[in-house]
Amino acid sequence: MSSANIIKRLKRYHQRLNGSTLEYDLSAYKNILSEINKLKNKFEEKSDDELKKISQMLINKAKECECLDELLIEAFALVSEAIRRVLRLNPFDVQIIGGMVLHYSKLAEMQTGEGKTLTAVFPAYLNALSGKGVHVLTFNDYLARRDAGWMGQVYEFLGLSVGFVQEGMTTGERQKAYGCDITYITAKEAGFDYLRDSLSYDKADIVHREFNYAIVDEADSILIDEARVPLIIACASEDYVADSYHLSKIAKQLKENEDFEFDEYARNFHLTEKGEKRIEDIFNFNNLYAEENVELLTHLNCAIHAEYLLHRDVDYIVRNGKVELVDEFTGRIADKRRWPDGLQAAIEAKENITIQSKGRILNSITIQHFIQMYPKICGMTATAQAAEREFKNFYNLDIVVIPPNKSCIRKDERDIIFTTKKAKRNALVNEIIRINKTQRPILIGTRSVEESVSLAEDLQKRGVKSEVLNAKKDEYEAGIIACAGKLGAVTVSTNMAGRGTDIRLGGVNEEEKNKVMALGGLYVVGTNRHESRRIDNQLRGRAGRQGDPGSSCFFVSLEDDLFVKYRIKDFLPSDYIVDQDGKIANPFVRKEVNRIQRVVEAQNQEIKITLCRYSSLLEKQRQIIFRKRKDILYDNSVPDIYKSNSPYQFKMLLTKIGEEELIKVCKYLYLFFLDKYWSQYLGEVADIREGIHLQRLGGEDPLFVFHKLTLEMFRELKQNIEREIINAFNGITIKNNAVEFYNPELKVPTSTWTYLINDNPFENMFGLQFIGNRGIGMSLGVLMIWPLMIMFPLLKKISGKNKKYHN
């Protein structure tokens, strides 16, 4: 055994001793694989009709018994032969093993280019045999549509139906797609449909059926990066809105280091005495921090934050008269994403565009909690190991590491580290020009839209033409990314553009492929390190597919956002050597760069765990509400609350309008007030959560106080719902044989819309304060600054006051 293999085994043994659940031994799967391949050889001799009859026989068996494991060998062999006939592809053994891993509710780590789309067909077919439905959750609408059309040929050959769901589809189209045996859809769209169902007043409008089995493609992105993103459904609201435009003008007039000062990380600010006096003079206040001015101060802080800490073409772009957020993990435009309302309005005012009303939140759920509603889930990604703890803690998913069909020979070079961004950019441009002269294809992954555009402009000035990808045009981007391996191609992209699409060397031209391979394959260049090594590894993984040659290298500087934010210079020796081009060769600096990244990953993981503790109780309450709502919607009798509390009114209405109409009225009232008070409750809980960390100042545990408050409020919620239902029921009159409610506002929203909220818009400060309760210190500066941002909602809930201000 080679020394490299010995070291690898020792490392795995050490991981197991430390509680790792990573699975490397595939011997059990290979034994089953042998049986599958033997049966597949027999299936090759059968006709298409015979295979279809076998599939129908499996469907019948699956409906008779609950144990699909007993059908696995036959089903997988059948799928393998169907793929060969329909798609003219021969599945690799590792793809079949990956399919087994997915069926057993585990997470398959499969490298880029290993054919994860084809892998999902095996467990999707097997689990769809029961007739309960399978959802394949993809990264974007384009991939859902593409994969349903591509893989759908196999399912239909075997007698199963396949559909896909896209944004903009009608209720009928969605019902048809969800009614199929296999449905391809994004996790977000499936979640939004769940929220729409949760507000339905007619069971005929429900699009989802009972959840059964979900296969999550690009699992690291959906289950980890997007996990804490709340999906929101809202309607129009009459709530008061502060004059964000006026506050934005004031924020623009303030001067740094005179009216306000940034903290040492340049992630927050506080007003100076001069700044406080200036604002008091503008609004004619005696005391800016008086209770009646807290709401104004909250909005003003948002305006200042928007003006000085959030940057156009870095944190967001403006397109078609709307602010669109840039995803921090991918550098892509985040579809339908918003910041919490005060900050969103402040950004829109800063850019002098129409402020988009949030409206009243009717319901919400995080992607994490939505995925957990499936009784059986699994996933696949190329970068699972770095997030092992999160997959296990949040989804109870063990990871099986599946080796590539062909060994990866990509060369991952050491980071090239510079003192300044300018030195890094000069070296980066020179490197691209040097490589481009050889015609070797290059893929450059940038951190932001702004950086990708400026880098492309610098290259253009030096005579290098490039493709720039950074917008939400998935199908267009997939086509460009697929050609990024052609001779002479230079592709500048925000980090994960074109995800889900393989980069083939030379495109479809075999002769050109050989030339590219001779040049060393695709050269991937990263211009920044990210807070997660997974993101960096995803970028590296665009090269070296299926044993192809390739290489990757990251160009970083000590002025990059990640290292400024976490003050890497404070941890470096003062005597490190810098060459004339600004490059640092000191190995200690390289180690410190890697250490900072590991520390940040651990910190972010703790934030997610802590935030999950805050949301777990709310999620249980949401399940109670939705279960009650569903019982009311599907029950064909009058709820007992009406008969027991208003027997006289009940008998009178029964006589005048009949049982069928009375059932409709009773259901309507129950659902209306359930929705109304749940919506109010969500808003109140959000306000409390924003300010609950202040309880630590009084020596109390914020999590304990949060749970105590929300439990009390939830009890009140149920009491309020029942009281309002009876009051409204007793107020019903009959005129001209029609039901009239005493309150004309008893109407459901005529229109709703969906969006997502950035869960942590102020970066790690909010989370760090939660974590502070678990032993991580919180600076005095943070304690002094954050009450200004969150005092208003806390005061509003504790004192019951809701003061408005007027300019």
Side-chain angles (χ1 to χ4, degrees):
M1 185 183 295
S2 69
S3 59
N5 286 331
I6 292 174
I7 292 172
K8 190 179 291 184
R9 287 198 172 189
L10 286 173
K11 183 179 179 181
R12 291 174 183 173
Y13 179 70
H14 182 262
Q15 287 175 330
R16 286 197 295 273
L17 288 177
N18 283 279
S20 173
T21 56
L22 294 175
E23 188 177 340
Y24 295 95
D25 184 4
L26 302 181
S27 54
Y29 299 100
K30 288 179 179 177
N31 292 336
I32 301 174
L33 174 67
S34 177
E35 297 298 316
I36 291 170
N37 285 334
K38 286 178 184 177
L39 187 57
K40 177 183 177 295
N41 292 335
K42 294 180 181 179
F43 284 163
E44 287 180 1
E45 301 171 0
K46 298 185 179 295
S47 67
D48 288 358
D49 287 341
E50 287 176 312
L51 292 182
K52 291 177 181 179
K53 287 179 181 178
I54 293 172
S55 182
Q56 186 57 52
M57 180 189 67
L58 289 176
I59 292 172
N60 295 336
K61 282 184 179 180
K63 291 179 179 177
E64 291 173 1
C65 69
E66 290 294 321
C67 188
L68 293 176
D69 292 358
E70 297 174 3
L71 307 178
L72 186 147
I73 293 174
E74 199 167 2
F76 274 40
L78 188 62
V79 169
S80 185
E81 177 58 19
I83 289 172
R84 186 185 71 82
R85 296 190 188 190
V86 176
L87 301 180
R88 302 292 189 267
L89 297 171
N90 285 307
F92 306 136
D93 285 350
V94 291
Q95 289 176 313
I96 298 174
I97 290 174
M100 284 187 261
V101 169
L102 297 178
H103 170 69
Y104 293 132
S105 297
K106 297 182 179 182
L107 196 142
E109 180 176 271
M110 301 176 68
Q111 298 307 308
T112 302
E114 291 299 296
K116 291 188 283 291
T117 302
L118 202 64
T119 297
V121 176
F122 291 89
Y125 170 78
L126 174 58
N127 286 269
L129 292 175
S130 64
K132 297 178 181 178
V134 172
H135 290 176
V136 182
L137 303 177
T138 64
F139 187 64
N140 56 49
D141 274 359
Y142 160 70
L143 292 177
R145 185 173 65 253
R146 184 200 71 177
D147 294 350
W150 186 14
M151 300 298 121
Q153 302 171 69
V154 178
Y155 301 126
E156 289 168 355
F157 176 83
L158 296 173
L160 297 182
S161 57
V162 61
F164 63 91
V165 178
Q166 306 270 272
E167 185 179 353
M169 279 185 168
T170 64
T171 298
E173 290 170 332
R174 291 171 186 271
Q175 288 173 332
K176 183 179 178 181
Y178 284 121
C180 291
D181 296 306
I182 298 102
T183 307
Y184 285 81
I185 183 176
T186 66
K188 294 174 187 175
E189 201 61 32
F192 284 141
D193 279 334
Y194 170 78
L195 291 178
R196 294 185 190 101
D197 284 351
S198 75
L199 296 172
S200 177
Y201 280 69
D202 188 339
K203 56 189 177 184
D205 294 331
I206 301 291
V207 299
H208 274 298
R209 49 177 169 159
E210 291 294 326
F211 293 122
N212 177 42
Y213 175 54
I215 301 172
V216 185
D217 195 5
E218 305 291 358
D220 63 317
S221 177
I222 295 172
L223 299 183
I224 304 299
D225 298 339
E226 300 284 337
R228 290 295 315 155
V229 174
L231 308 175
I232 305 291
I233 186 166
C235 69
S237 172
E238 299 295 326
D239 290 349
Y240 174 83
V241 178
D243 188 348
S244 298
Y245 296 107
H246 181 56
L247 295 176
S248 180
K249 290 178 181 178
I250 293 172
K252 286 180 170 68
Q253 296 168 8
L254 299 179
K255 297 178 181 179
E256 184 181 346
N257 297 325
E258 187 175 320
D259 297 314
F260 68 92
E261 294 176 347
F262 288 114
D263 68 2
E264 57 186 349
Y265 298 103
R267 287 185 289 165
N268 209 343
F269 60 89
H270 66 271
L271 295 172
T272 63
E273 289 186 11
K274 184 175 181 180
E276 293 169 3
K277 182 65 169 60
R278 183 171 182 177
I279 293 170
E280 287 173 344
D281 290 343
I282 291 173
F283 289 99
N284 197 25
F285 292 155
N286 292 323
N287 178 9
L288 178 61
Y289 301 105
E291 182 180 340
E292 61 269 20
N293 300 327
V294 172
E295 184 176 3
L296 181 145
L297 188 57
T298 301
H299 290 292
L300 180 61
N301 271 267
C302 286
I304 298 172
H305 193 106
E307 182 65 33
Y308 298 100
L309 295 176
L310 294 173
H311 307 290
R312 184 168 177 167
D313 291 334
V314 176
D315 302 295
Y316 65 92
I317 67 169
V318 177
R319 183 167 59 178
N320 299 326
K322 292 183 179 180
V323 168
E324 298 185 346
L325 277 64
V326 176
D327 189 285
E328 63 181 306
F329 294 103
T330 67
R332 300 289 309 280
I333 305 306
D335 186 34
K336 286 184 169 182
R337 190 80 58 86
R338 295 174 62 101
W339 279 296
D341 249 29
L343 189 57
Q344 181 77 19
I347 292 288
E348 290 163 344
K350 168 188 173 181
E351 298 296 340
N352 198 32
I353 60 177
T354 302
I355 293 176
Q356 306 292 319
S357 171
K358 173 198 80 171
R360 178 166 58 92
I361 294 177
L362 299 174
N363 208 347
S364 69
I365 189 171
T366 63
I367 290 178
Q368 175 185 324
H369 287 130
F370 172 70
I371 297 290
Q372 289 171 343
M373 294 177 64
Y374 288 88
K376 182 178 179 180
I377 65 171
C378 63
M380 47 188 177
T381 179
T383 51
Q385 295 185 57
E388 176 194 2
R389 183 182 171 194
E390 292 175 84
F391 282 123
K392 187 65 179 177
N393 287 345
F394 296 142
Y395 306 99
N396 197 31
L397 284 174
D398 293 331
I399 298 170
V400 180
V401 181
I402 301 176
N405 183 54
K406 294 182 180 179
S407 298
C408 179
I409 60 173
R410 183 186 68 242
K411 296 179 181 178
D412 295 327
E413 306 291 349
R414 288 182 172 181
D415 292 358
I416 302 176
I417 305 173
F418 299 86
T419 52
T420 66
K421 282 186 177 181
K422 183 178 179 181
K424 179 183 77 170
R425 173 60 67 88
N426 289 337
L428 178 62
V429 170
N430 288 335
E431 172 74 351
I432 294 168
I433 292 171
R434 183 182 70 82
I435 297 295
N436 181 246
K437 286 179 179 177
T438 70
Q439 289 292 287
R440 185 183 178 188
I442 309 169
L443 175 67
I444 306 133
T446 63
R447 185 68 185 270
S448 68
V449 175
E450 181 184 55
E451 185 184 8
S452 63
V453 172
S454 66
L455 177 57
E457 290 174 349
D458 286 351
L459 292 173
Q460 182 72 33
K461 291 173 184 176
R462 300 285 296 273
V464 177
K465 185 178 179 181
S466 62
E467 288 280 358
V468 181
L469 302 180
N470 53 34
K472 183 68 177 176
K473 297 179 182 177
D474 298 307
E475 193 162 0
Y476 165 76
E477 290 187 358
I480 297 298
I481 282 289
C483 296
K486 292 178 68 65
L487 278 172
V490 177
T491 309
V492 183
S493 166
T494 45
N495 193 38
M496 294 313 296
R499 189 167 183 166
T501 304
D502 284 338
I503 299 177
R504 296 178 179 273
L505 300 186
V508 296
N509 188 319
E510 195 64 29
E511 183 179 339
E512 187 172 318
K513 176 181 178 180
N514 293 332
K515 291 180 180 179
V516 173
M517 290 179 69
L519 291 169
L522 181 67
Y523 182 32
V524 172
V525 180
T527 66
N528 293 268
R529 280 287 196 169
H530 291 76
E531 291 194 358
S532 169
R533 285 171 294 172
R534 285 186 302 100
I535 306 300
D536 295 337
N537 291 338
Q538 281 282 357
L539 181 59
R540 290 189 193 277
R542 306 316 294 265
R545 64 177 297 278
Q546 281 298 310
D548 288 342
S551 62
S552 70
C553 185
F554 280 78
F555 285 63
V556 299
S557 85
L558 301 185
E559 292 181 347
D560 289 348
D561 292 346
L562 177 65
F563 304 127
V564 170
K565 186 174 173 181
Y566 294 98
R567 303 182 64 187
I568 189 172
K569 288 184 179 179
D570 290 355
F571 303 97
L572 300 180
S574 58
D575 58 347
Y576 57 79
I577 300 173
V578 180
D579 68 15
Q580 60 183 9
D581 296 322
K583 187 162 62 175
I584 304 171
N586 191 312
F588 180 81
V589 175
R590 182 173 288 107
K591 287 181 181 179
E592 196 59 31
V593 165
N594 294 330
R595 190 188 71 83
I596 287 287
Q597 200 173 31
R598 291 194 300 272
V599 168
V600 174
E601 282 180 341
Q603 181 191 90
N604 288 341
Q605 191 176 92
E606 289 301 317
I607 289 171
K608 289 177 183 177
I609 291 172
T610 305
L611 289 171
C612 187
R613 288 184 173 133
Y614 277 82
S615 63
S616 60
L617 177 60
L618 185 64
E619 174 59 17
K620 290 175 183 176
Q621 293 171 340
R622 186 201 57 73
Q623 291 176 7
I624 292 171
I625 291 294
F626 189 71
R627 198 178 303 120
K628 183 65 177 177
R629 201 182 191 287
K630 192 173 182 180
D631 290 344
I632 297 297
L633 187 64
Y634 281 88
D635 190 4
N636 290 320
S637 61
V638 176
D640 292 336
I641 186 174
Y642 297 102
K643 299 177 183 177
S644 58
N645 286 278
S646 300
Y648 177 79
Q649 176 78 341
F650 178 80
K651 290 179 182 178
M652 184 272 291
L653 292 175
L654 181 63
T655 302
K656 291 190 175 182
I657 62 176
E659 184 179 14
E660 184 177 350
E661 187 64 23
L662 181 56
I663 290 174
K664 288 181 182 179
V665 170
C666 290
K667 280 188 177 185
Y668 179 89
L669 286 177
Y670 209 123
L671 296 175
F672 177 86
F673 286 109
L674 199 66
D675 293 344
K676 175 184 176 182
Y677 279 96
W678 176 246
S679 173
Q680 290 179 5
Y681 179 74
L682 288 175
E684 291 168 357
V685 169
D687 285 345
I688 288 175
R689 198 188 79 160
E690 286 183 14
I692 198 66
H693 68 276
L694 292 177
Q695 295 292 330
R696 194 181 297 110
L697 300 177
E700 295 188 86
D701 178 359
L703 183 60
F704 174 79
V705 175
F706 178 79
H707 282 168
K708 181 181 177 182
L709 286 173
T710 50
L711 285 171
E712 291 173 357
M713 289 165 58
F714 193 68
R715 281 194 291 269
E716 292 177 6
L717 164 76
K718 293 190 286 185
Q719 295 169 2
N720 290 336
I721 290 171
E722 293 179 359
R723 184 185 67 253
E724 288 279 19
I725 287 172
I726 296 305
N727 288 342
F729 184 71
N730 289 333
I732 292 175
T733 57
I734 306 298
K735 290 185 179 179
N736 300 322
N737 295 321
V739 172
E740 285 194 2
F741 297 114
Y742 76 92
N743 187 348
E745 295 180 0
L746 280 168
K747 295 180 180 179
V748 299
T750 55
S751 64
T752 60
W753 61 91
T754 56
Y755 60 92
L756 302 92
I757 288 182
N758 244 31
D759 191 52
N760 201 7
F762 302 106
E763 299 180 348
N764 289 330
M765 293 179 293
F766 183 52
L768 280 171
Q769 292 172 79
F770 279 145
I771 291 176
N773 189 53
R774 303 181 64 202
I776 297 178
M778 183 167 57
S779 71
L780 179 61
V782 172
L783 287 173
M784 294 302 293
I785 293 164
W786 262 88
L788 305 183
M789 294 299 296
I790 47 70
M791 185 69 78
F792 167 66
L794 189 64
L795 285 173
K796 186 168 68 174
K797 295 306 162 193
I798 293 175
S799 68
K801 297 179 181 179
N802 185 13
K803 300 181 183 293
K804 310 291 187 188
Y805 76 90
H806 301 277
N807 294 318

